[in-house]
Amino acid sequence: AANKELLDTCVGFLDNGSSMEATARALFVHPNTVRYRLKRIQDVTGYNPSDPREAYVLRMAITLGRLHEA
């Protein structure tokens, strides 16, 4: 369940133009929760979703993972 939350947060963050407030509204959570989850994503993956280049790597990994599942 925690991994699903991190994935949803990462996708939401990237889809909302890296806006923490917009992501929080979309996920119905507090912006501090988004900050915490983004930190967890960085800890788990080694990539910072707030950095544009690293966000691109995360986006590609998520896309490839979804294609692999299908």
Side-chain angles (χ1 to χ4, degrees):
N3 289 336
K4 173 116 173 63
E5 288 177 350
L6 294 180
L7 178 61
D8 291 344
T9 301
C10 188
V11 169
F13 184 71
L14 297 174
D15 286 348
N16 285 297
S18 300
S19 170
M20 237 171 278
E21 290 76 20
T23 304
R25 282 192 304 273
L27 297 174
F28 302 104
V29 296
H30 194 275
N32 286 342
T33 302
V34 174
R35 279 186 194 88
Y36 170 77
R37 290 179 184 175
L38 292 175
K39 177 69 174 131
R40 290 271 303 127
I41 290 166
Q42 185 175 0
D43 291 343
V44 170
T45 65
Y47 293 99
N48 181 359
S50 299
D51 180 84
R53 291 176 190 232
E54 294 182 12
Y56 180 74
V57 172
L58 289 169
R59 171 68 79 185
M60 293 307 302
I62 291 167
T63 301
L64 291 173
R66 288 179 175 169
L67 288 173
H68 188 288
E69 289 176 358

